[in-house]
Amino acid sequence: MRLERLTDNSNALSLREQRQLEVVLDDFERSFPQCFFAVYLGVLPTMITARDLGFWLINHGAFHTQQIAKRNDFGCALVIDSQRGIAALTLGYALEPYVSEADVTLLLEQVRSPLIRQLYGLAVERAVAIFGKKLSQSASSASLDGGMISSPTDLNGLGLQTLRNAHRSSRPMTKH
């Protein structure tokens, strides 16, 4: 199922808010080029929770982002039930090591006030900012290589070389 990054099925956002949120989402993707942040606003049937829909979207949705080739395991979906004022944030599997369930709960608590007041644009903007800050903090404290390959010698054990080691000189060889 193909979706926009910002889907407002309940028409809860003004055109101005939609444009502002597109800028916020673009800024997020510039800060985290491998990731995307998707938002769904709508009135959900009673048998579907915001959390269930978020899980389904991350696992089955195809989100139109600046770079369509992004994988959903590097995405997150904020689902807001505008009728009940309930929100859920679902993370792709690749983001789970960087943002804990407690972090997500805290984020949702911090956007609760604007949700109650039906200030959905503010709630989304705040959620993106908080999530980006947490992701930035977690990523900067993580090792750059993710602990998978610690040195170029590990690459050699796999039969691989770094580009610099494999580079051949572009100078023509001279015969002596």
Side-chain angles (χ1 to χ4, degrees), residues 21-120:
L21 289 176
E22 286 292 343
V23 170
V24 168
L25 296 174
D26 287 344
D27 288 345
F28 177 84
E29 288 186 25
R30 273 191 288 282
S31 297
F32 304 98
Q34 70 278 28
C35 301
F36 70 88
F37 195 105
V39 180
Y40 177 90
L41 284 105
V43 177
L44 303 181
T46 55
M47 73 281 275
I48 298 176
T49 67
R51 189 176 180 133
D52 291 341
L53 181 58
F55 183 79
W56 188 88
L57 290 173
I58 284 295
N59 284 293
H60 299 288
F63 297 95
H64 178 72
T65 65
Q66 294 285 349
Q67 180 187 3
I68 195 71
K70 293 183 182 183
R71 296 180 9 212
N72 283 12
D73 48 344
F74 286 96
C76 61
L78 176 65
V79 175
I80 299 173
D81 182 334
S82 56
Q83 184 175 28
R84 293 183 228 151
I86 297 171
L89 182 67
T90 305
L91 307 179
Y93 298 113
L95 296 179
E96 288 178 353
Y98 301 103
V99 181
S100 70
E101 190 69 32
D103 293 327
V104 171
T105 301
L106 182 60
L107 179 149
L108 293 172
E109 287 173 10
Q110 292 174 325
V111 301
R112 184 179 171 158
S113 177
L115 284 178
I116 291 171
R117 297 184 317 215
Q118 297 181 341
L119 300 172
Y120 301 112

Side-chain angles (χ1 to χ4, degrees), residues 7-14 17-18 41-43 82 120:
T7 303
D8 181 12
N9 280 346
S10 61
N11 296 315
L13 301 170
S14 68
E17 287 174 311
Q18 289 176 18
L41 284 105
V43 177
S82 56
Y120 301 112

Side-chain angles (χ1 to χ4, degrees), residues 150-158 160:
S150 59
S151 71
T153 57
D154 291 343
L155 291 171
N156 292 334
L158 295 173
L160 303 173

